[in-house]
Amino acid sequence: MYAQPGGGTLPAAYRRLRRQRRAVRDFVHGGGRYLGFCLGGYLAGATPGFGLLPGDTDQYISSPGATVHDGRDTVIQVMWRDRPRTVFFQDGPFFVLDEHAAAEAGARILATYDNGTAAALVTGYGKGRVAVTGPHPEATAGWYSDHGLPVQHTRDLAEELVEAVMRE
């Protein structure tokens, strides 16, 4: 499994990683797993990114109906498998899927933001699998308390994301 965490900006991260684009794509296509959190979700997209998704990514905070409008550390409400959950958020992406390509890849949306856009998903890519999330279900209690936010316990969601990418 290749896990890409969050942190930093997409242009800077892609400048550092663009030479590895083919290696990441080949790894996943050949049966590897890609797990992307926040920036790692953006990097799974195409513009710029590794091109691992049946679609692309965009900035949630600039999407119509977004409930967060800036890049500050905060919490956000999502529907994770039809259950409302509050998750740590730092200017994460939403995922824009091409319906035909998503159906062919077996993409499944695991979570949506309040405006209905995809917040987390798992999909096939070649013989491999890709799981991405805009919010941070892996956030520990310290992430919340360091920013004066109410602590949320979302490890179960992070584990579900890992399990989803490792299946099959």
Side-chain angles (χ1 to χ4, degrees), residues 65-148:
T67 56
V68 176
H69 303 285
D70 57 43
R72 66 185 159 82
D73 300 325
T74 189
V75 293
I76 194 165
Q77 183 88 18
V78 298
M79 289 298 287
W80 195 288
R81 295 208 186 240
D82 298 322
R83 294 182 325 242
R85 298 296 295 268
T86 303
V87 185
F88 192 86
F89 184 78
Q90 296 173 312
D91 194 13
F94 73 96
F95 304 98
V96 183
L97 299 178
D98 173 284
E99 287 185 35
H100 179 72
E104 283 186 359
R108 284 184 301 117
I109 295 173
L110 301 176
T112 57
Y113 294 108
D114 279 353
N115 67 358
T117 58
L121 66 93
V122 63
T123 188
Y125 181 79
K127 295 178 183 175
R129 310 260 311 148
V130 176
V132 290
T133 179
H136 286 276
E138 80 284 12
T140 63
W143 290 34
Y144 294 92
S145 59
D146 286 352
H147 298 286

Side-chain angles (χ1 to χ4, degrees), residues 3-74:
Q4 178 64 55
T9 65
L10 179 58
Y14 189 68
R15 272 194 308 277
R16 287 189 191 118
L17 295 171
R18 69 177 167 223
R19 289 183 209 93
Q20 305 307 318
R21 185 178 197 267
R22 174 60 50 205
V24 171
R25 289 172 57 87
D26 289 349
F27 169 72
V28 179
H29 195 270
R33 304 303 197 250
Y34 179 95
L35 181 61
F37 296 94
C38 194
L39 177 62
Y42 279 116
L43 284 166
T47 54
F50 301 134
L52 300 173
L53 300 176
D56 205 353
T57 65
D58 205 344
Q59 192 175 32
Y60 169 73
I61 64 172
S62 63
S63 65
T67 56
V68 176
H69 303 285
D70 57 43
R72 66 185 159 82
D73 300 325
T74 189

